[in-house]
Amino acid sequence: MNKEKIHITKPDDRESVIVILARNGYTVRQGREKDHGTGKTVAFVEYWSSEDEKNG
């Protein structure tokens, strides 16, 4: 399973991306993590193909 992350600052933009990905068959989650460079907390959207889950 190949998970991808997109770092998105604006909450409304994150919501839009989540909806688009979910409607196109991806499993989606959002979270926060520390940026290694700045030490600040950044938000992200992580997604992966639902087909990957079924196949393996």
Side-chain angles (χ1 to χ4, degrees), residues 30-50:
Q30 63 179 325
R32 297 188 179 279
E33 64 187 3
K34 288 254 183 187
D35 182 293
H36 297 293
T38 63
K40 294 181 180 179
T41 301
V42 293
F44 66 85
V45 173
E46 186 174 43
Y47 65 97
W48 58 94
S49 173
S50 299

Side-chain angles (χ1 to χ4, degrees), residues 2 5-6 10-11 15 17-18 27 33 37 42 44 54:
N2 188 21
K5 270 187 194 175
I6 306 171
K10 292 182 181 179
E15 184 71 24
V17 169
I18 289 168
T27 302
E33 64 187 3
V42 293
F44 66 85
K54 292 177 188 174

